[in-house]
Amino acid sequence: MESFLVYSGGSFVRTSREHVVSGPFDGKPFARTWLAGVEEFEQSVVAAVAAFAGLKKMHAFERSSILREISEKITAREEVFAGIIAREAAKPWRYALAEVRRAAQTFFVASEEARRLPGEILSLDWTPEAAGREGLVKYFPIGPVAGISPFNFPLNLAVHKIAPAIAAGCPIVLKPASSTPLSTLELAKIIDETALPKGAVSILPMDRKTGNRLVTDERFRLLSFTGSPEVGWKMKEDAGKKKVVLELGGNAGTIVGASADLDHAVKRCLVGGFAYQGQVCIHAQRIFVHRSLFGTFAEKLVEGVRKLNYGDPLSPETDITVMIDEGNAKRVEAWIAEASEAGATVLCGSGRNGNYVEPTIITGAGPGMKVFDEEVFGPVVTLNAFDDFREAIKMVNNSLFGLQAGVFTNKVDELDMAFNELEVGGVIHNDTPIFRTDHMPYGGVKDSGLGREGVKYAMLDMLEPRILVKTIKNQ
Amino acid sequence: MESFLVYSGGSFVRTSREHVVSGPFDGKPFARTWLAGVEEFEQSVVAAVAAFAGLKKMHAFERSSILREISEKITAREEVFAGIIAREAAKPWRYALAEVRRAAQTFFVASEEARRLPGEILSLDWTPEAAGREGLVKYFPIGPVAGISPFNFPLNLAVHKIAPAIAAGCPIVLKPASSTPLSTLELAKIIDETALPKGAVSILPMDRKTGNRLVTDERFRLLSFTGSPEVGWKMKEDAGKKKVVLELGGNAGTIVGASADLDHAVKRCLVGGFAYQGQVCIHAQRIFVHRSLFGTFAEKLVEGVRKLNYGDPLSPETDITVMIDEGNAKRVEAWIAEASEAGATVLCGSGRNGNYVEPTIITGAGPGMKVFDEEVFGPVVTLNAFDDFREAIKMVNNSLFGLQAGVFTNKVDELDMAFNELEVGGVIHNDTPIFRTDHMPYGGVKDSGLGREGVKYAMLDMLEPRILVKTIKNQ
Amino acid sequence: MESFLVYSGGSFVRTSREHVVSGPFDGKPFARTWLAGVEEFEQSVVAAVAAFAGLKKMHAFERSSILREISEKITAREEVFAGIIAREAAKPWRYALAEVRRAAQTFFVASEEARRLPGEILSLDWTPEAAGREGLVKYFPIGPVAGISPFNFPLNLAVHKIAPAIAAGCPIVLKPASSTPLSTLELAKIIDETALPKGAVSILPMDRKTGNRLVTDERFRLLSFTGSPEVGWKMKEDAGKKKVVLELGGNAGTIVGASADLDHAVKRCLVGGFAYQGQVCIHAQRIFVHRSLFGTFAEKLVEGVRKLNYGDPLSPETDITVMIDEGNAKRVEAWIAEASEAGATVLCGSGRNGNYVEPTIITGAGPGMKVFDEEVFGPVVTLNAFDDFREAIKMVNNSLFGLQAGVFTNKVDELDMAFNELEVGGVIHNDTPIFRTDHMPYGGVKDSGLGREGVKYAMLDMLEPRILVKTIKNQ
Amino acid sequence: MESFLVYSGGSFVRTSREHVVSGPFDGKPFARTWLAGVEEFEQSVVAAVAAFAGLKKMHAFERSSILREISEKITAREEVFAGIIAREAAKPWRYALAEVRRAAQTFFVASEEARRLPGEILSLDWTPEAAGREGLVKYFPIGPVAGISPFNFPLNLAVHKIAPAIAAGCPIVLKPASSTPLSTLELAKIIDETALPKGAVSILPMDRKTGNRLVTDERFRLLSFTGSPEVGWKMKEDAGKKKVVLELGGNAGTIVGASADLDHAVKRCLVGGFAYQGQVCIHAQRIFVHRSLFGTFAEKLVEGVRKLNYGDPLSPETDITVMIDEGNAKRVEAWIAEASEAGATVLCGSGRNGNYVEPTIITGAGPGMKVFDEEVFGPVVTLNAFDDFREAIKMVNNSLFGLQAGVFTNKVDELDMAFNELEVGGVIHNDTPIFRTDHMPYGGVKDSGLGREGVKYAMLDMLEPRILVKTIKNQ
């Protein structure tokens, strides 16, 4: 059984608490790591504070070349990383490999952004009182950053915190999900080989209580959390003076308008609805289809779901596999049952077996049912018909959440309405909400979060503007 | 008969060459001005060079408040200006008043842009050789500007050179069209009341030979010309070392797609095709209508044209009146005849009377006919049907020119294709090419010109970037 | 005694709790207003939520012209406003008038920014997976904003919340300081005359308990607070899911380097140290002077302080007058005594009389004394000598706070060091930290706050980016 | 003798005119290439026009990865390239290698910029007439580009045209200098291996007459020329309708102020004055030293020059070697003689031997002498003393040229004056004008040129903005 040491303050360490990781697919322990305790936490924070002095003095080309080195080394070991992810997260190989490639790309983008910090010169002499003044605005790293990342993209969602932090010149202490800590610890080996000051990055698997120090410790200037809404919003309360970025979830909506290319829409909804068993923040949970297409759409989607290939995540043939754990599978099962009892129809999906939930499509769901109102984070989509496009917009907006939304349409006025009226962080045209590319601004409104990630956007929260009001001598 | 003195180097002067201005509508002389000669030209250039020293030292709030003052004074006298324009250019009152308001707006926009010169801080340390270097980029006025403006918007197209020049800190010597010099000379009175250094602005009506010194004199750092293509491109050759901005004309195309709102399209094409007798650079000259709508469109457009009210430009009721001169009217008459002889059909328009040409709609025109290939600059539009949207794009692009184009459509893919494929400076959605608002980037490609105007964009050509490579001591 | 009605949800109302306002200078009641209770608060919030629908649909020119109208009307009544401020806040007339002019300018800047919301087009096709995607990012108003403003700039610091909110399209409910509510209620009269939807702005004097609803009510999407650090940071904890902007105070440092123009530095430190009795967030509290200049500097500063003219704030001759209340005067007196007892020397300032504290200069103060470590918010400055510029930087940074800092120097390396090393939001060259112009980014780091104001910067927190991921059909 | 085929329209070809290249150092023929004639020129242009259709449709990641591939392959073969440059241009090995690395960096920067074309969304509804309009501005490649590059940086100055063209999506036909065509033809081999459409890049050594077709042929939309002022400005006249970018030379000035670090200044002036025998556009030709430092400076500079190591450019020990040809060496010799006869003093430099000119330092030169007024483009610097900084600025500005200038100072007011007053494209702080890093904006004013290069800046001239005026339906 392979061991993955904790990466604390620039050293790989064992701690007193061994933590065995089992694969959700076969339930077998396959690797060992350790949980950091208060001691390692303290060591990491002290090292981060110390590393900041060096980090903030690094030249742009230094930060940039370190990030590029990491990117290239991830690529060189992409199959190793994909294997770890497939195993620890039960992510089908194809999606695991895609995640690794995205992580390499995220570091690559950061290697560019590290050289491209914003900076502007402002004329200040807009009034006689400010005659002779000129403003120079530069951006400076804020200091140590605390990062907490989830199980569903165990590598790339951690990288979306680590890479911008290095690019901005901020040290970071990151807590991966306890169920999936291995891919980031594998990454730590690569990071450790670079010229980064020791302590610039720490990767600490922790229990929740110890991990909560990331939220409350005032030596951090920013908390960046990706995870569930309840946990995230509570952290905001406890975060003290630090800035808080929250990337939470939602029950994202997709609208299929009357002018949509039906086959294309079905194909994309299969991916958006069932990739990684729906355990994706921007999972296409609620699909609204124009009544003229509804019947055919439902039929074809069911047909598509039936062709999904169940199996071992390590197999390249696998489309769908188990959920992260039985607790979640049971929750999803219960939500489906609740909807069914309340009058909704299950078009396909015959239920749960252990931590496997069969891909499920539900019609007739609506407000009041958890599968419609809350984040299902499982292989379930709801289908509803609509008559008027504006009505579909309202149904998508009728949610506590607002991360992304998908809109299939070829009408200019519908697309304008969708972009201008949907209360979300991103509207995806002719695709489902699941689309993301790693340099785009990404994040939610309403209960779905606070702030934006996407390398450059994540960096902006890790930087503080400072203006020099220059006085120009009258010459 | 009112007299308008020449504004040369900060003084209002008479010269040895009186120039009587007659109104195109009734042909009667109604005002007197003078043509500047070599002496006044020289005086203006010397004063411009001298004024530059003061202009470039002015604080932002000083340039800004002068521009705002001019804007407000134009507004206060808008009826005076509109009367002059209506008379000198035979522009129907409604359009003349709109032009004056746009001129006030252009100065207002410039009063903002005067305080908003760009400026950026660049990290330069992308390689070890540049460690410790930081770039500060500021923009500095280039020096005296030569402006030449046309008859058709005698005030606002001159203002599109004068206002940016003041905002950027550049002196300007402007030659208005000889047929319509009065509105800019009226403007000179307002400019003269401001705190601008004397000589910062000169307005010189000149004959073409004297005016050509604006092109060749090396003391100017920029020539900004709005007028006809042949003249403009020749000037580029003769302009020596100075920068050249050319705002020329075209034979702009409009596409009415199958999904268009027909009545709206007809209404807008009436304006785009016949406002100011078509004497507009972005006149909707060539209209391509989807075959499914063609018959109805043609019928309704003819009907609309028949309702246009002919009359004295000074009357608020007038929609259409005479052209600028008989020479142009005869040219347009001949072009219509040429098309007709070559097989095109004149749907409406019964010809010329003096310098009046009746609004004319032609179907069946095409390549090889002047009304299709060249800039008609008169009250003539051609109508053609198309079957495939891509074909319509090709027909619009089948031109030496590329200023703006109009596209009526509610299909996303058509609008994307139009934006990405039309070889023009601006694509106007659900309107004809005639749309312009004064702060937007405006200008043509191919034979339609070089560079962009639109206050901020015009200013960019009047400014020169300068980088300070700052060396930061390692501290 | 003049009455100022509460402006709640678009109506001017009396409430059940009368609130009499007395002038700090003579202690006499001079005006009456009312405190809003839960009922008015609720009315205002409901109206704000309702107004949002209208506000967010307004065209740019509509929001812009309303803001310009308000700016012009403030200017037209500038003496009325200055009189109110002088009286309610005991602000010397000269400074009161300057504040009113800045408030007019703040609205004017907002009238420009209302038309200049950011927006960008991003190429997204950086990887094969994103081929054919294009990103359009626009900014949308977030919804109702809660504002809380302090007594020291009772008009302009409220305006720095109201004007950006209108410009961004967000309704706002603002609580002015209870001691100085009148100038904002006077402003409400002007706002009410505009075409803003009723309820877009409410001005509610409230007791602290009722006012705290602004912090906790989840219908607000942003809390923007200007005031004291303890209060501000507590609010951040209680703010729930909303964004929080905090503009707090500090104990700002000023460095006078060996190359400084001594007379200029003294002159500016007199203003920075004693304008409005030091009751300014960016008051020049701690002055560090190079040893070579220290003696002369201290002498001249004391001499300058002795010439300050004490008197009625309504007199244009007055330089200095009473503090806001006796509690604060006593606190300042106690802090001076503490420093004195701990060994510091009081160069000038003979103590307190009622709510008047004589301008005080202290040498020999240092860490451990409140006048050095905390925000004195009174007419007190400390002077210390330094030998090495780097040492001076460290002394300024040796603070919990970091709002602005002043640096008098003519050396490039010192200015670079100051800009790159001072842990503040703004470094003011050849002036004290007190410099601010209303469109510049303004705000603090460390305990001095979170986020930036300055119209455009304040607006960015009131706007939410939304990306449209456009899918371009391969054509 | 190695052969380098001409790269025309995607094919490597021989032509009827063999062209033997000799090394300036030993005068011996060492390689063979061919001159393109009218036929190859025509083939290249036709292929460029054809390639444009494919180029402009490429995804960002495609253009980007091609540019990165070229960059990496240059690096992989850097010694081969350095050997060619050292030999064909008589460039000392150290400088030749540095040039190759810069060329690789230039392509790398272009690989980033290819994904970062600008694009903005503008609110257009600033007036009621524009209500409901929104502007989207994107940038499109203009079409085929003509490039002409000089002998002195035979690789990197060609790359500064080729790399931006590919990044922008424009085909390019480039003429290298006839004396140094080999390094670009070597580059062609790498370019040919990429997925670029055939004809996207052609490299055509040509005689001047044939090469002039690049200037006059209207199928090119831009002429980008780097070379001598006379030739460049004449091309501008002949260029027809195409845009013109001119990177010409100058007689750059350097100011050494009284506060300068003398040893540092001497060290940098040795490089700025004598690197590549002064055959650099931004050669530090005229050095102005504050009188307090003048004597010591002159002494140390002479001392430094005496230590320069003469030898074979292929040797890594060589600091200085022969000029490009005897004609230029004779010209420089004559200019030195002219200065000497007019009263200037030659501090060091004993004249010419074949095409070698000994590094020469002249004091007492001034206006009226060619070594002061014109571009010497050889190993000659002039030294003058000044008393007042403003006077030094005037001396630098007393020139027809304005490319870059160097300023050694530690005074804020002097640096401000230098940045704000020097009439140049770039002011280099604490270094000579010779500093350039490849992503910074670079170019001259006055007779030194038109426009800016530096990848992103070069691309801007290869792109045309197009605005979509979107009409948003009122919903």
Side-chain angles (χ1 to χ4, degrees), chain B residues 464-468, chain D residues 402-404 422-427 441 443-445 452:
Chain B
E464 192 78 50
R466 186 181 302 154
I467 187 169
L468 172 63
Chain D
L403 194 42
Q404 296 201 141
L422 283 170
E423 296 160 357
V424 292
V427 174
V445 299
R452 291 293 179 277

Side-chain angles (χ1 to χ4, degrees), chain C residues 265-293:
Chain C
V266 169
K267 196 173 135 199
R268 298 307 304 160
C269 285
L270 270 173
V271 175
F274 302 101
Y276 189 43
Q277 295 86 255
Q279 298 169 121
V280 180
C281 307
I282 39 180
H283 163 233
Q285 181 171 338
R286 299 182 300 149
I287 302 177
F288 303 94
V289 185
H290 190 264
R291 199 169 303 279
S292 62
L293 306 175

